[in-house]
C-alpha cells in the first residue's frame, strides 16, 4: 500500500527518495467539480510506468486514492476546472541510490487551479537551446527527473507559450510540457514513442481519435523544415491539462492556425 | 539566502521543486568529528553547478551552513566517520516546470553514518544493463535527477559492490555512485568530464594528485576490453565518501588488486 500525504498538510518525509533522487513519477489530471478527464488513462499509465521503475502500486490503490482526492478537493457545485496532481515515490529508505526491498511507496496528492485555456488564436513558440536526452530504459515515463524540462521552461519569457526541444539528431521531440503533432497534406505526424521523454496521455488519446476518424497518422521524426516548410497545415501542442493548442508562430514564422482539432479533442468532453 | 531545513526536524515543504522535478543538486561529505574531507572542493562544486542551473547561492552561504551543520552533528570526541549531506533545491513555487524569478532556494541538511571502508582485498563489480545518458547542458552536475543511477543500483545484489554503466557508444562511463580510473603500463585513464553524469570531487582530487606525482593521466573513453585485457594493471572506483576502491573482479574476471592508490589518496588525510 502506498502511504498518502495530502500536500496542504504535509510535505514528503525527509528521507523520501522522490526528493533525494527524483525516484518516482507523477500525473496531472484536468478536473471539473468531482469529475476528471481521461482519468482511467492517467491511472493506468501510472501503474504501468511504476511497474517499469519497480515501484509497487496497483490500479485499485490509485483508484481509491483518486476517489479520496475527489471527495476532498472536488466541489460538485463549481464549474471551474482544477488540476489534481498525484506524485508517487519509491518511499523513504535504502542505502544511497540502492533501494531496500519491500519499501512502501509514498503518494503525495495535491489540488491546484487549472491554467487558462483554450488558445483559439494560436500561441507563440520558440526552439529551445536545451537539448533533450532520453534514456531508452526510462523513455516515456513521467518521472520526477524533469531537470531538462525545467531548464527549457526557464527560456519561456515575454509572451512565449512554449519551447520545443530537439534530440541529438536535430529532430523536434517535445515541448517542455507538451507532445507534438504536425498536420500536413500527407496526414498527421507525431514523434515516435521511443524518442519521447514523456508519452503524454493527451497525445495517445488524440492519435486514437484521429485514427478512429480514418485519418492517416504516422509516428516518425519531425524536423524543423517539416514544420516551417510549405507542407505544414498546422502544428499542435498536446497536454492533458491544456488540451490541444495550435501554434500560431514558431521561431518568428507564422503558421496556419486551426481550432478544429482543439474542439474535436477537448479533454473536458471526457469527464468521467 | 537559502532557507535551511534540518532533516531530522522537517521534510522539504510540499511545493518544493526538488521533490517535484529533481530541481536541485546535492553533496555528500565524508566527516570525522568536526572535520570534513575535501570540504572546499565540495562547496565550490555546489556553488559552480548551482550557478549552471540558475540557483542562486554563494560560497559564503554554504560555508555558513556547513559550519552550523558541523556544530550540530559533529562530535569532536568521536573518531567515527560520518557523512554530511547537503541538498540544495530551487525552492518552492513557479508555474509547472517554469520557476518564478527571485525564488528562494531551500537547503536540506542531514547527517548519516558513513558506509564501511576501506576494501583492501578488492570488490566484485558487474556491467550494468542500465545505459547512461548525459545531457550536455547538465553533464557532470550532481543534480537530484538520479533515476538512472537508482535503476542501476537496483542491480547491486548478492555481494556485488557496484555496477558500471556504459553510454550509447559502448564506453564505460561511471559506476552507479563512483567515477572510474584505469591503471595501465601506458599510464592512468579516466573517462572525459564531458561524458560524465557526475564529475566527482574525489575523481578530480585523485587525478590532480597523480599528475602532481608526475604520473601520466589521460582523460579519454574506456572500453570494456581495456579493463578486461592484458594491459590492465588495476581498475578503481572513486567516490568522496568511499575513497579509492580497487576492483578485484569485473564480470566474473579477476583483476589485479593494488591498495597503493587507496593509501596515497585516502580522503581522511584531507580533513580540514
Amino acid at each position: 500500500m502506498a502511504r498518502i500525504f495530502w500536500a496542504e498538510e504535509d510535505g514528503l518525509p525527509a528521507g523520501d527518495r522522490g526528493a533525494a533522487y527524483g525516484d518516482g513519477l507523477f500525473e496531472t489530471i484536468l478536473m471539473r467539480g468531482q469529475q476528471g478527464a481521461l482519468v482511467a488513462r492517467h491511472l493506468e499509465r501510472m501503474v504501468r510506468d511504476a511497474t517499469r521503475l519497480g515501484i509497487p502500486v496497483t490500479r485499485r490503490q490509485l483508484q481509491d486514492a483518486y476517489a479520496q482526492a475527489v471527495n476532498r478537493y472536488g466541489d460538485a457545485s463549481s464549474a471551474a476546472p482544477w488540476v489534481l496532481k498525484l506524485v508517487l515515490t519509491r518511499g523513504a529508505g535504502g542505502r544511497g541510490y540502492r533501494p531496500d526491498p519491500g519499501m512502501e511507496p509514498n503518494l503525495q496528492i495535491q489540488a491546484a487551479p487549472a491554467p487558462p485555456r483554450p488558445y483559439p488564436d494560436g500561441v507563440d513558440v520558440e526552439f529551445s537551446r536545451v537539448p533533450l536526452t532520453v534514456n531508452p530504459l526510462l523513455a516515456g515515463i513521467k518521472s520526477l527527473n524533469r531537470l531538462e524540462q525545467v531548464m527549457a521552461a526557464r527560456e519561456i519569457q515575454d509572451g512565449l507559450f512554449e519551447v520545443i526541444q530537439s534530440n541529438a539528431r536535430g529532430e523536434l521531440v517535445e515541448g517542455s510540457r507538451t507532445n507534438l503533432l504536425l498536420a500536413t497534406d500527407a496526414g498527421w505526424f507525431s514523434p515516435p514513442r521511443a524518442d519521447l521523454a514523456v508519452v503524454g496521455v493527451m497525445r495517445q488519446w488524440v492519435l486514437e481519435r484521429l485514427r478512429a476518424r480514418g485519418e492517416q497518422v504516422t509516428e516518425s521524426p519531425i524536423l524543423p523544415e517539416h514544420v516551417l516548410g510549405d507542407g505544414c497545415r498546422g502544428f499542435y501542442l498536446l497536454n492533458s491539462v491544456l488540451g490541444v493548442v495550435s501554434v500560431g508562430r514558431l521561431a518568428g514564422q507564422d503558421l496556419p492556425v486551426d481550432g478544429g482539432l482543439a474542439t474535436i479533442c477537448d479533454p473536458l468532453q471526457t469527464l468521467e
Side-chain angles (χ1 to χ4, degrees), chain A:
Chain A
M1 269 305 294
R3 185 168 159 209
I4 292 178
F5 293 81
W6 302 101
E8 70 277 13
E9 290 180 352
D10 284 309
L12 288 168
D16 186 82
R17 298 173 61 91
Y21 309 125
D23 191 6
L25 64 176
F26 70 110
E27 295 288 334
T28 48
I29 305 176
L30 180 61
M31 307 289 298
R32 191 164 60 189
Q34 295 197 317
Q35 293 188 298
L38 302 170
V39 175
R41 288 170 186 258
H42 280 290
L43 302 187
E44 279 155 20
R45 177 175 65 169
M46 181 167 258
V47 171
R48 191 172 58 242
D49 287 348
T51 304
R52 286 175 65 191
L53 297 178
I55 298 176
V57 74
T58 66
R59 178 73 164 76
R60 178 75 176 269
Q61 288 163 2
L62 289 185
Q63 190 70 47
D64 179 61
Y66 172 78
Q68 291 182 53
V70 166
N71 276 330
R72 187 179 185 99
Y73 300 126
D75 175 357
S77 67
S78 166
W82 55 285
V83 175
L84 176 64
K85 184 173 179 179
L86 306 175
V87 179
L88 179 70
T89 79
R90 200 183 300 275
R95 290 185 53 189
Y97 297 137
R98 184 178 160 198
D100 291 328
M103 290 177 51
E104 183 185 24
N106 288 328
L107 181 63
Q108 188 182 57
I109 305 180
Q110 71 188 94
R117 60 176 291 277
Y119 295 88
D121 301 327
V123 296
D124 199 353
V125 168
E126 285 283 350
F127 295 121
S128 173
R129 289 183 303 269
V130 180
L132 191 65
T133 53
V134 174
N135 188 311
L137 195 86
L138 303 175
I141 299 177
K142 200 171 170 77
S143 80
L144 302 177
N145 276 216
R146 297 268 73 92
L147 198 42
E148 299 186 12
Q149 285 74 27
V150 168
M151 295 303 282
R154 292 175 75 228
E155 301 173 318
I156 301 175
Q157 305 284 348
D158 303 327
L160 216 56
F161 182 82
E162 178 62 296
V163 290
I164 309 291
Q165 296 185 264
S166 301
N167 62 20
R169 296 188 296 273
E171 299 155 359
L172 306 181
V173 184
E174 266 167 80
S176 70
R177 66 193 187 287
T178 55
N179 286 128
L180 306 180
L181 178 66
L182 175 67
T184 75
D185 290 336
W188 303 85
F189 293 85
S190 188
R193 290 176 65 103
D195 291 351
L196 300 180
V198 176
V199 175
V201 161
M202 189 68 189
R203 171 187 184 272
Q204 297 306 100
W205 182 64
V206 169
L207 297 193
E208 284 173 30
R209 292 214 73 180
L210 288 171
R211 284 178 172 136
R213 294 164 64 95
E215 302 273 339
Q216 176 77 27
V217 178
T218 308
E219 296 181 56
S220 69
I222 295 176
L223 294 170
E225 53 263 38
H226 297 153
V227 183
L228 296 173
D230 289 341
C232 173
R233 295 289 165 265
F235 187 47
Y236 300 94
L237 309 174
L238 312 178
N239 170 297
S240 60
V241 167
L242 298 166
V244 175
V245 180
S246 188
V247 176
R249 202 171 170 85
L250 173 61
Q253 179 178 321
D254 288 333
L255 298 182
V257 171
D258 184 338
L261 188 65
T263 305
I264 297 167
C265 295
D266 182 343
L268 286 177
Q269 290 172 8
T270 74
L271 292 175
E272 57 191 83

